[in-house]
Amino acid sequence: MHDTGKILAGLAVFLALATSPLWYASLARSSAAAPRLDLPAAERRCVLPREVIRASHMQLLDEWRTQVVRDGQRDYVTPDGRRFDKSLTRTCLKCHSNEKNFCSRCHDYAGAKPVCWNCHVKPEDIK
Amino acid sequence: MNALVSLIVVAVLTAVAVAGAGARPSAFVLGIVVPYAAAAVFLLGIVIRVLRWARAPVPFRIPTTCGQQNSLPWVKSSPLDNPHTALGVAARMALEVLCFRSLFRNTRSELRDGPRLIYAENKWLWLGAMTFHWSLLAVVVRHMRFFMEPVPFPVLFALRMDGILEVGVPVVYMSSLGLLAAAGYLLARRLLSPQLRYISLAADYLPLFLILGIAGSGILMRHFTKLDVIAVKELAMGLSTLQPALPEGIGALFFVHLLLVSSLLAYLPFSKLMHLGGVFLSPTRNLANNNRMKRHLNPWNPPVRVHTYEEYEDEFRTLMKGAGLPLEKEPK
């Protein structure tokens, strides 16, 4: 007796799982391109250079939070000398006023779900 | 020595990735050609090995029995340790694959002065193995967020559960720590115990060093050196959609991570890591112990010419009658 039938069935399941990115991408008609973001119209520069803010904005926010909540220290001076209030809603979202088409669009693409909005408000929620 | 050989292999791979990350053509090879090639070797290698296993005949039932076999209705049998039905086998295999049940029975033996041989329970290896494998599964599922767009619900759920402690920004995943700690333990075990060191080959250390390198570089990128995750997803989605492209702005550490992963994938079908498929094909676990209920024919037995008693009597009936022997059929 051989168990080839059962083994082939198992192998088929394995192959289906292992190649799931390929068939999922074609079923979902995914495109490889990153989402288009709504950038602030009035401003040219972020608080940090673009490459830095893209990779490390969560750490900046974490530092801001600690400094505000623990040390009551609210003044942020950018490397190029501009001053900002260390605030998620009043600073980041003042320039990036459309959270949905900026932060969320990027986070959905990356599968990141920041829990910040459980407590913090977005400008679009207030309207 | 064996450990050193494996460590050098991983160090060389790391150096190759660091050297290749800088220039565009070599980054293209590291980021696109190598992952595709590794995935092909991984899939083909596993299929070929499993097909080779599938060709082996299964003439007898050889389960290891750890409990009473099913027999008479008034003898209590143990359906999990000595299953005689397909359902029992499925349950036994599930416990084996999901909970490492036979490793749970692991014991440790020691020679104490006396001299007395002492056996004691030893659950540490089981705990390390469970932590390691489940963390690895969580890590693999989590990484599907890079290869799938939109990120499907099961992957988001895994991300949420893994980061449910909400420690740190970005959140620290439990599986990152679990994988690093458990792989570290499995390595330390081999290095520190003289008996284990004696039986450990380079092929035992290589997967551990690769996995430690992968987990270490991943944690470094996520929490310390930082990188453009969106660019990484673009690269991964390029691979999934079969429209590969190399985005700008991906650091060398990422190429180290990717080359180590590709090496692990390509090495897997040739290594002891094939227990990934082998565990399902262990004949001592996956066969029902129904030797006494069903006749199992050996497929390669030569045909045996049998001479039944009926035929014997037909042949010698008259002689037997003459000798006064009892007959089943009287001659006509």
Side-chain angles (χ1 to χ4, degrees):
Chain A
M1 191 190 134
H2 287 252
D3 281 338
T4 320
K6 288 177 214 155
I7 297 177
L8 288 183
L11 206 54
V13 170
F14 164 75
L15 282 177
L17 284 176
T19 56
S20 55
L22 299 182
W23 54 257
Y24 184 84
S26 73
L27 282 183
R29 299 178 191 289
S30 333
S31 87
R36 296 259 308 281
L37 304 175
D38 279 1
L39 290 176
E43 297 287 341
R44 297 264 122 248
R45 284 175 303 168
C46 194
V47 291
L48 289 172
R50 182 161 178 263
E51 311 80 63
V52 181
I53 195 81
R54 261 175 93 93
S56 326
H57 59 275
M58 47 313 241
Q59 286 190 333
L60 180 72
L61 282 168
D62 196 25
E63 281 160 26
W64 282 14
R65 171 170 63 177
T66 312
Q67 286 157 2
V68 169
V69 178
R70 301 264 157 95
D71 312 331
Q73 212 214 74
R74 290 188 161 268
D75 266 343
Y76 179 70
V77 184
T78 63
D80 53 359
R82 289 169 297 150
R83 292 183 166 271
F84 289 100
D85 179 22
K86 287 177 186 161
S87 171
L88 178 57
T89 307
R90 285 193 308 269
T91 305
C92 305
L93 294 189
K94 191 163 135 249
C95 289
H96 302 294
S97 54
N98 194 341
E99 198 272 345
K100 203 158 115 279
N101 291 341
F102 185 71
C103 314
S104 276
R105 208 172 258 179
C106 216
H107 293 159
D108 285 347
Y109 183 70
K113 292 255 176 293
V115 291
C116 320
W117 315 117
N118 290 354
C119 305
H120 290 262
V121 284
K122 311 171 191 174
E124 56 247 52
D125 291 343
I126 303 171
K127 279 173 214 152
Chain B
M1 188 55 216
N2 285 334
L4 206 61
V5 171
S6 303
L7 192 60
I8 291 172
V9 171
V10 175
V12 168
L13 287 170
T14 307
V16 167
V18 170
R24 192 109 184 128
S26 54
F28 186 87
V29 171
L30 284 176
I32 290 163
V33 180
V34 170
Y36 270 140
V41 172
F42 171 75
L43 290 178
L44 267 179
I46 287 193
V47 168
I48 290 172
R49 273 198 87 166
V50 171
L51 287 183
R52 213 155 62 202
W53 287 335
R55 280 212 299 275
V58 188
F60 306 118
R61 297 299 162 118
I62 53 164
T64 42
T65 57
C66 316
Q68 175 63 45
Q69 181 180 13
N70 177 267
S71 56
L72 297 167
W74 43 269
V75 180
K76 206 172 150 205
S77 76
S78 58
L80 276 180
D81 286 315
N82 202 338
H84 67 283
T85 57
L87 191 68
V89 169
R92 183 187 205 187
M93 284 304 288
L95 281 172
E96 190 62 43
V97 172
L98 303 176
C99 309
F100 305 168
R101 190 151 174 263
S102 41
L103 197 55
F104 193 69
R105 278 195 270 257
N106 189 29
T107 53
R108 147 176 74 92
S109 53
E110 247 172 58
L111 204 55
R112 296 269 171 85
D113 40 27
R116 283 184 307 147
L117 188 58
I118 305 236
Y119 291 95
E121 284 196 23
N122 186 0
K123 304 276 185 249
W124 288 110
L125 181 59
W126 173 81
L127 191 68
M130 282 291 277
T131 314
F132 176 82
H133 286 86
W134 280 103
S135 299
L136 192 61
L137 178 67
V139 168
V140 170
V141 172
R142 273 207 276 113
H143 274 73
M144 286 303 126
R145 76 177 163 137
F146 293 112
F147 294 95
M148 295 178 166
E149 172 58 31
V151 184
F153 170 73
V155 176
L156 288 176
F157 183 74
L159 286 163
R160 178 73 188 118
M161 286 301 128
D162 209 351
I164 195 140
L165 296 183
E166 289 180 10
V167 176
V169 178
V171 285
V172 177
Y173 292 121
M174 284 184 271
S175 60
S176 312
L177 302 179
L179 188 65
L180 203 62
Y185 163 71
L186 294 176
L187 177 67
R189 214 179 128 254
R190 287 192 184 274
L191 289 176
L192 298 181
S193 154
Q195 292 97 320
L196 273 172
R197 198 166 59 229
Y198 183 72
I199 59 164
S200 295
L201 307 172
D204 293 316
Y205 291 112
L206 186 56
L208 285 171
F209 282 128
L210 280 173
I211 286 167
L212 282 170
I214 291 165
S217 57
I219 291 172
L220 265 181
M221 283 188 292
R222 179 175 169 80
H223 296 288
F224 300 98
T225 62
K226 309 305 289 183
L227 86 171
D228 189 343
V229 174
I230 301 300
V232 169
K233 173 134 187 184
E234 279 182 288
L235 174 67
M237 282 308 297
L239 296 176
S240 305
T241 52
L242 303 178
Q243 292 157 353
L246 189 67
E248 292 289 337
I250 301 180
L253 193 54
F254 174 76
F255 287 100
V256 172
H257 190 69
L258 192 61
L259 186 62
L260 292 182
V261 172
S262 304
S263 312
L264 186 68
L265 279 183
Y267 173 56
L268 194 139
F270 309 98
S271 69
K272 65 177 205 168
L273 303 178
M274 262 312 282
H275 69 269
L276 163 70
V279 65
F280 294 98
L281 304 186
S282 326
T284 56
R285 290 276 175 277
N286 68 11
L287 293 173
N289 187 9
N290 56 8
N291 280 321
R292 293 187 182 173
M293 289 163 234
K294 281 206 185 118
R295 183 152 183 235
H296 298 282
L297 286 177
N298 186 349
W300 67 79
N301 273 350
V304 179
R305 259 182 48 80
V306 283
H307 195 219
T308 59
Y309 178 72
E310 252 179 339
E311 290 164 353
Y312 175 86
E313 212 183 82
D314 286 346
E315 197 178 336
F316 298 109
R317 186 163 289 113
T318 37
L319 291 171
M320 288 168 81
K321 180 81 181 168
L325 291 171
L327 289 173
E328 293 204 334
K329 256 198 245 157
E330 291 299 320
K332 292 178 197 104

